Amino acid sequence: MVENAVAEKDRDEIGTSKEENQFNFGAGKRQEVDPRWKHPKPFQYEEDGMVVTRTSVWSAPGCHEGCGVLVYSDKETGKFVKCEGDPDDPYNRGALCPRCLAFKQVEFHPDRILHPMRRVGERGSGQWERITWDEALETCYKEFRRISMTYGGDSIHCLRGTARDNQWQVGRMANTFGSPNEYGFLSGTACYLPRLSLMIMTYGGMLIADFSQFSALRYDDPEWVCPECTIVWGCNPTISNPDFFMGHWVTDAMKLGASSSAWSRASRGSPRTPTSTCSCAPAPTRASRSA
């Protein structure tokens, strides 16, 4: 079989035929995982009478971090109890933003909308009635159909924000109504996407700055070198935590001996000036941090 023929080959030796390429992804020699990279706990376990599930999340709306979390649920009912940061996850190392910690408040908030609602009063009056999902879908279909039959399919514009998981669905829906107008409506196309593309092409990932985030051993990785100086230019990463970058990594590096300078524009038209420069004592080891 072709699978057996390529299983022992090195990636560089794999051929280019259709039969061989179907096994190209992941083929070659199996690499053993460094035991130091393995998570010390199982995927799911019990603690204090609750079931703990290890996972990673994107907290709505708009998070791109995917922090490692521990989700606690009731053992008998499966009901969500709380969410905490996973101290053994190499990415966020137990740190979580308030949005993630407030998951329970969001999920069980009394004003959370759980069902389709239809306006029954004047716009702005706040009068709504609950309808079924079938009624909601039928209402949307009829309105789309009416517009496309009256004004033509190209009168319907289907716009996406940062997409998430609705890219192909939106395009397919536009196609069913004969509309060619399906596109992403994202201001970041002019700045965010070029930034990500340059980082990926240069470093192989969304690096922003090298704070050991590509290594599961993080600061304990002997190959990682702590930056001597970090310049924070026109942003506040400890507050914003930009995509795939945790702001507290900057302070971690400062505790390891790096110096840091923050630059901002004081007023319109004035030159950028440093607002602070500081350095900290070396950080404690990972073992003492988790103690």
Side-chain angles (χ1 to χ4, degrees):
M1 295 178 60
V2 177
E3 183 176 7
N4 294 332
V6 302
E8 301 302 324
K9 288 186 177 181
D10 188 84
R11 288 183 183 275
D12 295 335
E13 299 175 353
I14 295 177
T16 58
S17 68
K18 177 181 178 181
E19 290 75 15
E20 288 185 328
N21 266 332
Q22 61 181 313
F23 298 104
N24 199 356
F25 183 78
K29 297 179 179 179
R30 177 182 294 275
Q31 300 295 324
E32 293 296 328
V33 178
D34 189 320
R36 296 174 299 174
W37 288 42
K38 295 181 179 179
H39 200 284
K41 294 183 179 179
F43 158 69
Q44 204 169 60
Y45 57 94
E46 292 187 20
E47 181 180 298
D48 298 330
M50 295 179 286
V51 176
V52 184
T53 304
R54 293 193 298 107
T55 184
S56 60
V57 295
W58 283 16
S59 57
C63 174
H64 289 182
E65 302 295 352
C67 292
V69 298
L70 301 176
V71 177
Y72 291 76
S73 57
D74 186 92
K75 182 178 179 180
E76 302 298 329
T77 65
K79 186 177 181 180
F80 175 77
V81 177
K82 63 178 179 178
C83 177
E84 295 182 351
D86 185 352
D88 293 304
D89 186 281
Y91 183 73
N92 58 306
R93 305 180 74 178
L96 283 184
C97 68
R99 213 165 44 174
C100 210
L101 295 172
F103 264 171
K104 185 174 183 178
Q105 295 171 256
V106 174
E107 181 173 357
F108 300 110
H109 196 282
D111 294 333
R112 181 183 177 190
I113 298 176
L114 302 176
H115 312 282
M117 306 291 287
R118 177 167 55 199
R119 180 165 52 86
V120 294
E122 294 295 326
R123 185 183 296 273
S125 64
Q127 301 180 57
W128 302 84
E129 67 175 357
R130 176 178 170 180
I131 60 176
T132 66
W133 284 105
D134 287 340
E135 290 177 299
L137 293 172
E138 185 68 16
T139 300
C140 293
Y141 167 77
K142 287 182 176 179
E143 187 63 12
F144 272 118
R145 185 70 174 172
R146 182 190 67 81
I147 295 174
S148 64
M149 295 297 290
T150 305
Y151 306 104
D154 58 357
S155 64
I156 300 176
H157 291 246
C158 299
L159 282 70
R160 292 180 281 101
T162 50
R164 301 294 182 268
D165 300 321
N166 63 357
Q167 297 188 47
W168 69 266
Q169 294 95 329
V170 174
R172 182 69 185 95
M173 184 182 70
N175 178 258
T176 61
F177 294 108
S179 173
N181 306 315
E182 184 274 322
Y183 48 91
F185 192 71
L186 179 64
S187 60
T189 301
C191 56
Y192 174 61
L193 294 182
R195 175 166 66 90
L196 296 187
S197 300
L198 286 172
M199 286 192 292
I200 292 173
M201 289 187 291
T202 305
Y203 303 111
M206 300 172 189
L207 188 66
I208 299 183
D210 185 2
F211 286 102
S212 76
Q213 62 266 46
F214 283 173
S215 171
L217 301 179
R218 294 306 304 265
Y219 310 126
D220 298 328
D221 192 325
E223 296 185 5
W224 178 71
V225 178
C226 180
E228 294 182 2
C229 178
T230 300
I231 299 177
V232 180
W233 191 286
C235 67
N236 191 351
T238 56
I239 300 299
S240 62
N241 294 300
D243 289 343
F244 310 102
F245 188 85
M246 306 293 284
H248 67 267
W249 295 344
V250 177
T251 55
D252 284 349
M254 292 167 63
K255 292 176 182 178
L256 289 168
S259 62
S260 177
S261 296
W263 291 67
S264 65
R265 186 179 295 275
S267 61
R268 183 178 297 275
S270 64
R272 295 180 185 271
T273 56
T275 57
S276 64
T277 302
C278 55
S279 59
C280 301
T285 63
R286 180 176 182 179
S288 62
R289 283 170 60 115
S290 59

